[in-house]
mmCIF file of all heavy atoms in Angstrom:
data_model
loop_
_atom_site.group_PDB
_atom_site.id
_atom_site.type_symbol
_atom_site.label_atom_id
_atom_site.label_comp_id
_atom_site.label_asym_id
_atom_site.label_seq_id
_atom_site.Cartn_x
_atom_site.Cartn_y
_atom_site.Cartn_z
ATOM 1 N N SER A 1 79.806 139.848 136.138
ATOM 2 C CA SER A 1 79.004 141.049 136.273
ATOM 3 C C SER A 1 78.482 141.093 137.753
ATOM 4 O O SER A 1 78.089 140.078 138.272
ATOM 5 C CB SER A 1 77.816 141.047 135.321
ATOM 6 O OG SER A 1 76.848 142.012 135.669
ATOM 7 N N PRO A 2 78.414 142.291 138.350
ATOM 8 C CA PRO A 2 77.862 142.390 139.736
ATOM 9 C C PRO A 2 76.407 142.001 139.731
ATOM 10 O O PRO A 2 75.845 141.727 140.802
ATOM 11 C CB PRO A 2 78.093 143.863 140.061
ATOM 12 C CG PRO A 2 78.255 144.598 138.787
ATOM 13 C CD PRO A 2 78.853 143.597 137.828
ATOM 14 N N ASP A 3 75.734 142.062 138.633
ATOM 15 C CA ASP A 3 74.331 141.759 138.611
ATOM 16 C C ASP A 3 74.029 140.224 138.560
ATOM 17 O O ASP A 3 72.923 139.762 138.785
ATOM 18 C CB ASP A 3 73.587 142.377 137.365
ATOM 19 C CG ASP A 3 73.735 143.871 137.401
ATOM 20 O OD1 ASP A 3 73.690 144.468 138.528
ATOM 21 O OD2 ASP A 3 73.758 144.529 136.319
ATOM 22 N N ASP A 4 75.065 139.427 138.254
ATOM 23 C CA ASP A 4 74.891 138.012 138.184
ATOM 24 C C ASP A 4 74.817 137.410 139.601
ATOM 25 O O ASP A 4 75.511 137.860 140.531
ATOM 26 C CB ASP A 4 76.105 137.312 137.483
ATOM 27 C CG ASP A 4 76.210 137.700 136.000
ATOM 28 O OD1 ASP A 4 75.085 137.932 135.469
ATOM 29 O OD2 ASP A 4 77.281 137.716 135.451
ATOM 30 N N VAL A 5 73.905 136.453 139.756
ATOM 31 C CA VAL A 5 73.844 135.740 140.994
ATOM 32 C C VAL A 5 74.827 134.605 140.960
ATOM 33 O O VAL A 5 74.609 133.587 140.294
ATOM 34 C CB VAL A 5 72.448 135.250 141.299
ATOM 35 C CG1 VAL A 5 72.348 134.452 142.585
ATOM 36 C CG2 VAL A 5 71.441 136.345 141.283
ATOM 37 N N VAL A 6 75.956 134.768 141.605
ATOM 38 C CA VAL A 6 77.059 133.795 141.522
ATOM 39 C C VAL A 6 77.209 133.124 142.859
ATOM 40 O O VAL A 6 77.493 133.790 143.851
ATOM 41 C CB VAL A 6 78.364 134.438 141.116
ATOM 42 C CG1 VAL A 6 79.482 133.411 140.964
ATOM 43 C CG2 VAL A 6 78.194 135.187 139.820
ATOM 44 N N GLU A 7 77.021 131.822 142.929
ATOM 45 C CA GLU A 7 77.121 131.131 144.222
ATOM 46 C C GLU A 7 78.608 130.993 144.560
ATOM 47 O O GLU A 7 79.496 130.970 143.695
ATOM 48 C CB GLU A 7 76.414 129.766 144.154
ATOM 49 C CG GLU A 7 77.211 128.699 143.465
ATOM 50 C CD GLU A 7 76.494 127.362 143.615
ATOM 51 O OE1 GLU A 7 75.345 127.266 143.107
ATOM 52 O OE2 GLU A 7 77.068 126.431 144.184
ATOM 53 N N ASP A 8 78.859 130.799 145.768
ATOM 54 C CA ASP A 8 80.239 130.634 146.243
ATOM 55 C C ASP A 8 80.828 129.376 145.648
ATOM 56 O O ASP A 8 80.290 128.280 145.791
ATOM 57 C CB ASP A 8 80.184 130.475 147.798
ATOM 58 C CG ASP A 8 81.614 130.354 148.339
ATOM 59 O OD1 ASP A 8 82.577 130.416 147.585
ATOM 60 O OD2 ASP A 8 81.752 130.166 149.586
ATOM 61 N N LYS A 9 81.958 129.550 144.933
ATOM 62 C CA LYS A 9 82.493 128.377 144.229
ATOM 63 C C LYS A 9 83.118 127.325 145.153
ATOM 64 O O LYS A 9 83.408 126.223 144.794
ATOM 65 C CB LYS A 9 83.547 128.909 143.225
ATOM 66 C CG LYS A 9 83.132 129.918 142.237
ATOM 67 C CD LYS A 9 82.024 129.408 141.311
ATOM 68 C CE LYS A 9 81.612 130.430 140.335
ATOM 69 N NZ LYS A 9 80.551 129.943 139.456
ATOM 70 N N GLN A 10 83.377 127.766 146.417
ATOM 71 C CA GLN A 10 83.948 126.806 147.356
ATOM 72 C C GLN A 10 82.921 125.919 148.024
ATOM 73 O O GLN A 10 83.322 124.882 148.531
ATOM 74 C CB GLN A 10 84.718 127.606 148.428
ATOM 75 C CG GLN A 10 85.817 128.517 147.893
ATOM 76 C CD GLN A 10 86.823 127.754 147.092
ATOM 77 O OE1 GLN A 10 87.250 126.665 147.543
ATOM 78 N NE2 GLN A 10 87.239 128.255 145.966
ATOM 79 N N THR A 11 81.692 126.393 147.994
ATOM 80 C CA THR A 11 80.669 125.562 148.699
ATOM 81 C C THR A 11 80.207 124.406 147.833
ATOM 82 O O THR A 11 79.978 124.583 146.665
ATOM 83 C CB THR A 11 79.482 126.430 149.067
ATOM 84 O OG1 THR A 11 78.878 127.006 147.857
ATOM 85 C CG2 THR A 11 79.861 127.597 149.944
ATOM 86 N N GLU A 12 80.120 123.254 148.466
ATOM 87 C CA GLU A 12 79.567 122.072 147.711
ATOM 88 C C GLU A 12 78.562 121.430 148.629
ATOM 89 O O GLU A 12 78.780 121.302 149.844
ATOM 90 C CB GLU A 12 80.677 121.144 147.376
ATOM 91 C CG GLU A 12 81.362 121.470 146.081
ATOM 92 C CD GLU A 12 82.356 120.380 145.653
ATOM 93 O OE1 GLU A 12 82.595 119.512 146.441
ATOM 94 O OE2 GLU A 12 82.874 120.447 144.530
ATOM 95 N N GLU A 13 77.509 120.878 148.025
ATOM 96 C CA GLU A 13 76.560 120.189 148.783
ATOM 97 C C GLU A 13 77.110 118.855 149.270
ATOM 98 O O GLU A 13 77.797 118.209 148.542
ATOM 99 C CB GLU A 13 75.283 119.949 147.927
ATOM 100 C CG GLU A 13 74.648 121.199 147.378
ATOM 101 C CD GLU A 13 75.294 121.718 146.096
ATOM 102 O OE1 GLU A 13 76.416 121.165 145.763
ATOM 103 O OE2 GLU A 13 74.729 122.622 145.470
ATOM 104 N N PRO A 14 76.806 118.422 150.473
ATOM 105 C CA PRO A 14 77.248 117.070 150.916
ATOM 106 C C PRO A 14 76.536 115.989 150.025
ATOM 107 O O PRO A 14 75.490 116.222 149.463
ATOM 108 C CB PRO A 14 76.774 117.048 152.361
ATOM 109 C CG PRO A 14 75.749 118.077 152.501
ATOM 110 C CD PRO A 14 76.075 119.159 151.533
ATOM 111 N N LEU A 15 77.252 114.890 149.981
ATOM 112 C CA LEU A 15 76.796 113.785 149.087
ATOM 113 C C LEU A 15 75.377 113.364 149.451
ATOM 114 O O LEU A 15 74.601 113.046 148.511
ATOM 115 C CB LEU A 15 77.787 112.628 149.200
ATOM 116 C CG LEU A 15 77.448 111.391 148.323
ATOM 117 C CD1 LEU A 15 77.502 111.819 146.857
ATOM 118 C CD2 LEU A 15 78.464 110.263 148.581
ATOM 119 N N ARG A 16 74.999 113.311 150.711
ATOM 120 C CA ARG A 16 73.692 112.852 151.114
ATOM 121 C C ARG A 16 72.563 113.728 150.508
ATOM 122 O O ARG A 16 71.443 113.272 150.361
ATOM 123 C CB ARG A 16 73.581 112.768 152.608
ATOM 124 C CG ARG A 16 73.653 114.141 153.316
ATOM 125 C CD ARG A 16 73.501 113.978 154.845
ATOM 126 N NE ARG A 16 73.579 115.306 155.459
ATOM 127 C CZ ARG A 16 74.686 115.864 155.877
ATOM 128 N NH1 ARG A 16 75.820 115.237 155.674
ATOM 129 N NH2 ARG A 16 74.666 117.105 156.439
ATOM 130 N N ASP A 17 72.880 115.001 150.236
ATOM 131 C CA ASP A 17 71.895 115.943 149.728
ATOM 132 C C ASP A 17 71.716 115.809 148.207
ATOM 133 O O ASP A 17 70.712 116.249 147.674
ATOM 134 C CB ASP A 17 72.236 117.364 150.082
ATOM 135 C CG ASP A 17 72.186 117.672 151.596
ATOM 136 O OD1 ASP A 17 71.499 116.816 152.253
ATOM 137 O OD2 ASP A 17 72.735 118.649 152.054
ATOM 138 N N VAL A 18 72.720 115.295 147.502
ATOM 139 C CA VAL A 18 72.646 115.279 146.036
ATOM 140 C C VAL A 18 72.781 113.829 145.426
ATOM 141 O O VAL A 18 72.828 113.681 144.217
ATOM 142 C CB VAL A 18 73.777 116.171 145.417
ATOM 143 C CG1 VAL A 18 73.549 117.612 145.838
ATOM 144 C CG2 VAL A 18 75.137 115.684 145.884
ATOM 145 N N ILE A 19 72.807 112.866 146.288
ATOM 146 C CA ILE A 19 73.045 111.477 145.826
ATOM 147 C C ILE A 19 71.933 111.081 144.849
ATOM 148 O O ILE A 19 72.222 110.322 143.852
ATOM 149 C CB ILE A 19 73.134 110.511 147.013
ATOM 150 C CG1 ILE A 19 73.517 109.092 146.515
ATOM 151 C CG2 ILE A 19 71.877 110.467 147.812
ATOM 152 C CD1 ILE A 19 74.878 108.995 145.926
ATOM 153 N N TRP A 20 70.689 111.508 145.064
ATOM 154 C CA TRP A 20 69.601 111.067 144.227
ATOM 155 C C TRP A 20 69.600 111.845 142.918
ATOM 156 O O TRP A 20 68.852 111.448 141.974
ATOM 157 C CB TRP A 20 68.258 111.238 144.943
ATOM 158 C CG TRP A 20 68.235 110.482 146.202
ATOM 159 C CD1 TRP A 20 68.153 110.925 147.477
ATOM 160 C CD2 TRP A 20 68.209 109.023 146.279
ATOM 161 N NE1 TRP A 20 68.109 109.903 148.372
ATOM 162 C CE2 TRP A 20 68.185 108.738 147.672
ATOM 163 C CE3 TRP A 20 68.311 107.987 145.381
ATOM 164 C CZ2 TRP A 20 68.212 107.406 148.201
ATOM 165 C CZ3 TRP A 20 68.345 106.666 145.820
ATOM 166 C CH2 TRP A 20 68.300 106.398 147.212
ATOM 167 N N ILE A 21 70.398 112.869 142.750
ATOM 168 C CA ILE A 21 70.663 113.496 141.494
ATOM 169 C C ILE A 21 71.837 112.829 140.782
ATOM 170 O O ILE A 21 71.813 112.575 139.602
ATOM 171 C CB ILE A 21 70.901 115.022 141.634
ATOM 172 C CG1 ILE A 21 69.682 115.648 142.158
ATOM 173 C CG2 ILE A 21 71.287 115.619 140.325
ATOM 174 C CD1 ILE A 21 69.885 117.205 142.440
ATOM 175 N N LEU A 22 72.844 112.506 141.550
ATOM 176 C CA LEU A 22 74.085 111.969 140.947
ATOM 177 C C LEU A 22 73.888 110.549 140.387
ATOM 178 O O LEU A 22 74.554 110.249 139.414
ATOM 179 C CB LEU A 22 75.196 111.969 142.045
ATOM 180 C CG LEU A 22 75.652 113.359 142.546
ATOM 181 C CD1 LEU A 22 76.756 113.171 143.591
ATOM 182 C CD2 LEU A 22 76.155 114.193 141.376
ATOM 183 N N ILE A 23 73.106 109.741 141.042
ATOM 184 C CA ILE A 23 72.866 108.371 140.511
ATOM 185 C C ILE A 23 72.286 108.359 139.166
ATOM 186 O O ILE A 23 72.883 107.755 138.232
ATOM 187 C CB ILE A 23 72.012 107.526 141.547
ATOM 188 C CG1 ILE A 23 72.860 107.269 142.833
ATOM 189 C CG2 ILE A 23 71.621 106.213 140.912
ATOM 190 C CD1 ILE A 23 72.083 106.575 143.917
ATOM 191 N N PRO A 24 71.126 108.988 138.920
ATOM 192 C CA PRO A 24 70.599 109.049 137.552
ATOM 193 C C PRO A 24 71.491 109.842 136.571
ATOM 194 O O PRO A 24 71.536 109.506 135.408
ATOM 195 C CB PRO A 24 69.195 109.664 137.710
ATOM 196 C CG PRO A 24 69.257 110.459 138.972
ATOM 197 C CD PRO A 24 70.170 109.704 139.877
ATOM 198 N N LEU A 25 72.253 110.837 137.087
ATOM 199 C CA LEU A 25 73.160 111.566 136.255
ATOM 200 C C LEU A 25 74.274 110.640 135.765
ATOM 201 O O LEU A 25 74.693 110.662 134.624
ATOM 202 C CB LEU A 25 73.755 112.735 137.004
ATOM 203 C CG LEU A 25 74.777 113.575 136.262
ATOM 204 C CD1 LEU A 25 74.206 114.211 134.982
ATOM 205 C CD2 LEU A 25 75.368 114.663 137.151
ATOM 206 N N PHE A 26 74.808 109.800 136.641
ATOM 207 C CA PHE A 26 75.837 108.804 136.287
ATOM 208 C C PHE A 26 75.328 107.950 135.175
ATOM 209 O O PHE A 26 75.981 107.719 134.190
ATOM 210 C CB PHE A 26 76.178 108.015 137.494
ATOM 211 C CG PHE A 26 77.280 107.039 137.249
ATOM 212 C CD1 PHE A 26 78.629 107.337 137.529
ATOM 213 C CD2 PHE A 26 76.992 105.730 136.794
ATOM 214 C CE1 PHE A 26 79.627 106.419 137.268
ATOM 215 C CE2 PHE A 26 77.968 104.802 136.562
ATOM 216 C CZ PHE A 26 79.299 105.123 136.795
ATOM 217 N N LEU A 27 74.084 107.423 135.316
ATOM 218 C CA LEU A 27 73.538 106.561 134.308
ATOM 219 C C LEU A 27 73.215 107.286 133.039
ATOM 220 O O LEU A 27 73.399 106.702 131.908
ATOM 221 C CB LEU A 27 72.252 105.942 134.880
ATOM 222 C CG LEU A 27 72.378 105.018 136.081
ATOM 223 C CD1 LEU A 27 71.003 104.591 136.625
ATOM 224 C CD2 LEU A 27 73.197 103.768 135.750
ATOM 225 N N TYR A 28 72.865 108.539 133.120
ATOM 226 C CA TYR A 28 72.655 109.363 131.916
ATOM 227 C C TYR A 28 73.908 109.529 131.119
ATOM 228 O O TYR A 28 73.919 109.332 129.883
ATOM 229 C CB TYR A 28 72.141 110.762 132.377
ATOM 230 C CG TYR A 28 72.082 111.755 131.259
ATOM 231 C CD1 TYR A 28 70.908 111.940 130.524
ATOM 232 C CD2 TYR A 28 73.172 112.580 130.970
ATOM 233 C CE1 TYR A 28 70.841 112.953 129.523
ATOM 234 C CE2 TYR A 28 73.108 113.550 129.978
ATOM 235 C CZ TYR A 28 71.945 113.723 129.272
ATOM 236 O OH TYR A 28 71.893 114.669 128.225
ATOM 237 N N CYS A 29 75.016 109.763 131.830
ATOM 238 C CA CYS A 29 76.356 109.935 131.164
ATOM 239 C C CYS A 29 76.829 108.605 130.583
ATOM 240 O O CYS A 29 77.423 108.550 129.508
ATOM 241 C CB CYS A 29 77.378 110.541 132.100
ATOM 242 S SG CYS A 29 77.000 112.175 132.662
ATOM 243 N N PHE A 30 76.610 107.579 131.367
ATOM 244 C CA PHE A 30 76.884 106.183 130.870
ATOM 245 C C PHE A 30 76.144 105.915 129.524
ATOM 246 O O PHE A 30 76.836 105.409 128.623
ATOM 247 C CB PHE A 30 76.367 105.172 131.925
ATOM 248 C CG PHE A 30 76.509 103.719 131.581
ATOM 249 C CD1 PHE A 30 77.583 103.040 132.007
ATOM 250 C CD2 PHE A 30 75.552 103.104 130.808
ATOM 251 C CE1 PHE A 30 77.713 101.671 131.696
ATOM 252 C CE2 PHE A 30 75.639 101.777 130.528
ATOM 253 C CZ PHE A 30 76.720 101.044 130.910
ATOM 254 N N CYS A 31 74.920 106.281 129.458
ATOM 255 C CA CYS A 31 74.227 106.012 128.206
ATOM 256 C C CYS A 31 74.591 106.971 127.109
ATOM 257 O O CYS A 31 74.750 106.538 125.938
ATOM 258 C CB CYS A 31 72.709 106.126 128.470
ATOM 259 S SG CYS A 31 72.001 104.928 129.587
ATOM 260 N N SER A 32 74.772 108.221 127.405
ATOM 261 C CA SER A 32 75.037 109.282 126.403
ATOM 262 C C SER A 32 76.373 109.019 125.721
ATOM 263 O O SER A 32 76.473 108.992 124.459
ATOM 264 C CB SER A 32 74.937 110.667 127.056
ATOM 265 O OG SER A 32 73.660 110.898 127.576
ATOM 266 N N ILE A 33 77.451 108.932 126.474
ATOM 267 C CA ILE A 33 78.731 108.779 125.871
ATOM 268 C C ILE A 33 78.929 107.380 125.370
ATOM 269 O O ILE A 33 79.457 107.179 124.275
ATOM 270 C CB ILE A 33 79.844 109.086 126.903
ATOM 271 C CG1 ILE A 33 79.724 110.521 127.384
ATOM 272 C CG2 ILE A 33 81.226 108.817 126.370
ATOM 273 C CD1 ILE A 33 80.724 110.951 128.441
ATOM 274 N N GLY A 34 78.394 106.323 126.080
ATOM 275 C CA GLY A 34 78.512 104.977 125.618
ATOM 276 C C GLY A 34 77.836 104.764 124.285
ATOM 277 O O GLY A 34 78.401 104.158 123.359
ATOM 278 N N SER A 35 76.630 105.296 124.129
ATOM 279 C CA SER A 35 75.843 105.138 122.893
ATOM 280 C C SER A 35 76.493 105.897 121.746
ATOM 281 O O SER A 35 76.457 105.446 120.614
ATOM 282 C CB SER A 35 74.371 105.455 123.073
ATOM 283 O OG SER A 35 74.286 106.815 123.540
ATOM 284 N N SER A 36 77.084 107.042 122.041
ATOM 285 C CA SER A 36 77.742 107.841 121.024
ATOM 286 C C SER A 36 78.894 107.064 120.403
ATOM 287 O O SER A 36 79.026 106.914 119.190
ATOM 288 C CB SER A 36 78.238 109.144 121.600
ATOM 289 O OG SER A 36 79.006 109.877 120.670
ATOM 290 N N LEU A 37 79.730 106.533 121.249
ATOM 291 C CA LEU A 37 80.880 105.761 120.731
ATOM 292 C C LEU A 37 80.451 104.447 120.126
ATOM 293 O O LEU A 37 81.063 103.912 119.183
ATOM 294 C CB LEU A 37 81.896 105.538 121.894
ATOM 295 C CG LEU A 37 82.517 106.801 122.442
ATOM 296 C CD1 LEU A 37 83.396 106.453 123.686
ATOM 297 C CD2 LEU A 37 83.308 107.540 121.390
ATOM 298 N N LEU A 38 79.394 103.868 120.693
ATOM 299 C CA LEU A 38 78.863 102.607 120.224
ATOM 300 C C LEU A 38 78.391 102.719 118.764
ATOM 301 O O LEU A 38 78.742 101.896 117.905
ATOM 302 C CB LEU A 38 77.717 102.130 121.124
ATOM 303 C CG LEU A 38 77.008 100.846 120.683
ATOM 304 C CD1 LEU A 38 77.887 99.712 120.635
ATOM 305 C CD2 LEU A 38 75.811 100.602 121.681
ATOM 306 N N TYR A 39 77.643 103.770 118.472
ATOM 307 C CA TYR A 39 77.171 103.967 117.110
ATOM 308 C C TYR A 39 78.358 104.179 116.152
ATOM 309 O O TYR A 39 78.395 103.623 115.014
ATOM 310 C CB TYR A 39 76.145 105.135 117.041
ATOM 311 C CG TYR A 39 75.370 105.157 115.773
ATOM 312 C CD1 TYR A 39 74.097 104.493 115.700
ATOM 313 C CD2 TYR A 39 75.819 105.790 114.654
ATOM 314 C CE1 TYR A 39 73.346 104.536 114.516
ATOM 315 C CE2 TYR A 39 75.116 105.832 113.446
ATOM 316 C CZ TYR A 39 73.823 105.207 113.411
ATOM 317 O OH TYR A 39 73.126 105.220 112.241
ATOM 318 N N GLN A 40 79.304 104.984 116.593
ATOM 319 C CA GLN A 40 80.452 105.318 115.746
ATOM 320 C C GLN A 40 81.255 104.075 115.435
ATOM 321 O O GLN A 40 81.706 103.897 114.267
ATOM 322 C CB GLN A 40 81.349 106.330 116.479
ATOM 323 C CG GLN A 40 82.599 106.690 115.740
ATOM 324 C CD GLN A 40 83.374 107.725 116.501
ATOM 325 O OE1 GLN A 40 83.160 108.917 116.471
ATOM 326 N NE2 GLN A 40 84.426 107.233 117.237
ATOM 327 N N ASP A 41 81.415 103.175 116.403
ATOM 328 C CA ASP A 41 82.228 102.007 116.187
ATOM 329 C C ASP A 41 81.503 100.829 115.452
ATOM 330 O O ASP A 41 82.176 100.066 114.793
ATOM 331 C CB ASP A 41 82.752 101.490 117.532
ATOM 332 C CG ASP A 41 83.789 102.367 118.135
ATOM 333 O OD1 ASP A 41 84.235 103.326 117.482
ATOM 334 O OD2 ASP A 41 84.205 102.142 119.299
ATOM 335 N N MET A 42 80.225 100.834 115.591
ATOM 336 C CA MET A 42 79.431 99.678 115.102
ATOM 337 C C MET A 42 78.714 99.872 113.826
ATOM 338 O O MET A 42 78.369 98.910 113.117
ATOM 339 C CB MET A 42 78.457 99.184 116.172
ATOM 340 C CG MET A 42 79.057 98.644 117.453
ATOM 341 S SD MET A 42 80.158 97.197 117.192
ATOM 342 C CE MET A 42 79.018 96.060 116.516
#
């Protein structure tokens, strides 16, 4: 929709600007998927 605020899909933030988001996000996904499969298997 022309009313949607759509950011340029080609632009990406440099790693130095988002590293402090990506580190806890990595750990979040580590826990979320790992614990899901862990409960299922155990």
Side-chain angles (χ1 to χ4, degrees):
S1 169
D3 297 329
D4 293 331
V5 179
V6 182
E7 80 174 59
D8 183 4
K9 304 297 183 182
Q10 301 302 316
T11 60
E12 274 188 353
E13 302 84 347
L15 182 61
R16 65 178 180 273
D17 292 343
V18 296
I19 185 66
W20 300 114
I21 296 177
L22 295 179
I23 291 175
L25 178 62
F26 182 93
L27 296 173
Y28 171 93
C29 298
F30 175 96
C31 295
S32 299
I33 298 178
S35 57
S36 172
L37 297 176
L38 175 60
Y39 195 92
Q40 177 179 279
D41 288 354
M42 295 299 300

